[in-house]
Amino acid sequence: HRHELDQHRRKLGDIRNIMYSMKTLALMETHKLARYIKAQSEISSTIEGMATDLLYFHPDVLPAVTSSSDIILLIGSERGFCGNFNESLVQKLQQFHASTDNNDNTVIVIGQKLHALLNITVCNIIFIEGADVTEDIYRVVGELARTLAGIRKSASLFAIYHNSEKEGLYTEKLLPPFDNISRDHVKLTSPPLLNLSTTDFFLDLTDHYLYSALHRVLYSSLMAENESRVEHLEHATRHLDDKTEELGLKINALRQEEIIEEIEVILLNSISS
């Protein structure tokens, strides 16, 4: 029995080492993502500043969405070991559907683990493979752009994702663009000089805005995913350490019993002789 416990303890040690390596990789990914998020935030601020100046003088270029349907971008994880990261997204999506009461929505699901949890028949579901590491986000954005271009209908675009900065689930409206920007701090006294027509410039600016926004929400979600993975694996490795220590105590107790039995056998042999 002691040998079985000792073998089990060695297996737990191997699992603990694997989990610790996974936690270290996730922690390294958060440091890398922090640099990307900072750079992307500066790009988004620049684009929103340009839009603020333009819309202050040309508010009529904002498009009006007449369709009652929505496109929902639901960003989950491609891998596991991140707690209830995906389960909470499914609950948020159900709440969103209950509030809109619309069966014609299209849900773009990112992440294999999230897609496996979905069991919703009231909407159209499109699946896109998620990002394992930061460099995969370029591929995901490309697939998203092709998917959105293939949806031939006028609709609002919402992103439901884990926002690393706000530390929780966040629902953000991406299209129509620039709905929530403030125009109270414009310092220009005359309209910006444009080489394009106002409409063409706004369309080009919207393309840049959407491209930047998709990067931003995916970076933020991947950051939150890795932070959740670090926390989850930290609890798991701590539990394995406690279990290993408990097995060690049992193994020592059994070894002591074996030593006592051996001593008793030696004493009995010496008495009988």
Side-chain angles (χ1 to χ4, degrees), residues 163-221:
N163 191 314
S164 59
E165 295 179 352
K166 298 183 182 296
E167 297 183 354
L169 278 173
Y170 191 65
T171 302
E172 181 177 349
K173 189 175 184 180
L174 302 180
L175 292 177
F178 314 120
D179 267 0
N180 300 321
I181 62 175
S182 174
R183 306 173 198 172
D184 300 332
H185 304 291
V186 176
K187 298 180 180 179
L188 297 180
T189 57
S190 59
L193 298 176
L194 304 175
N195 293 324
L196 301 173
S197 68
T198 307
T199 302
D200 289 341
F201 180 84
F202 183 79
L203 289 175
D204 285 346
L205 191 63
T206 299
D207 287 343
H208 287 291
Y209 158 78
L210 183 59
Y211 186 74
S212 173
L214 291 176
H215 276 87
R216 175 172 51 80
V217 298
L218 287 168
Y219 284 140
S220 183
S221 176

Side-chain angles (χ1 to χ4, degrees), residues 70-88:
D70 297 320
I71 301 173
I72 301 136
L73 179 59
L74 197 66
I75 306 175
S77 72
E78 187 67 19
R79 296 183 289 128
F81 292 102
C82 48
N84 66 338
F85 187 88
N86 295 296
E87 288 81 359
S88 58

Side-chain angles (χ1 to χ4, degrees), residues 58-69:
H58 303 283
D60 54 303
V61 298
L62 272 176
V65 176
T66 57
S67 174
S68 59
S69 62

Side-chain angles (χ1 to χ4, degrees), residues 11-65:
K11 289 181 179 179
L12 290 182
D14 293 338
I15 295 172
R16 197 262 184 202
N17 291 335
I18 294 172
M19 286 189 169
Y20 183 80
S21 298
M22 293 171 61
K23 186 187 76 171
T24 302
L25 290 173
L27 191 60
M28 291 170 60
E29 200 69 25
T30 60
H31 292 307
K32 182 166 56 175
L33 279 164
R35 299 194 299 270
Y36 279 82
I37 289 174
K38 181 180 179 182
Q40 197 63 50
S41 178
E42 294 174 356
I43 294 173
S44 297
S45 298
T46 301
I47 294 174
E48 290 178 2
M50 295 171 65
T52 301
D53 295 339
L54 179 70
L55 293 175
Y56 182 78
F57 294 99
H58 303 283
D60 54 303
V61 298
L62 272 176
V65 176

Side-chain angles (χ1 to χ4, degrees), residues 123-139:
C123 58
N124 305 313
I125 296 179
I126 301 172
F127 169 67
I128 294 177
E129 186 179 343
D132 278 331
V133 293
T134 306
E135 289 75 15
D136 288 343
I137 288 179
Y138 295 104
R139 170 189 55 80

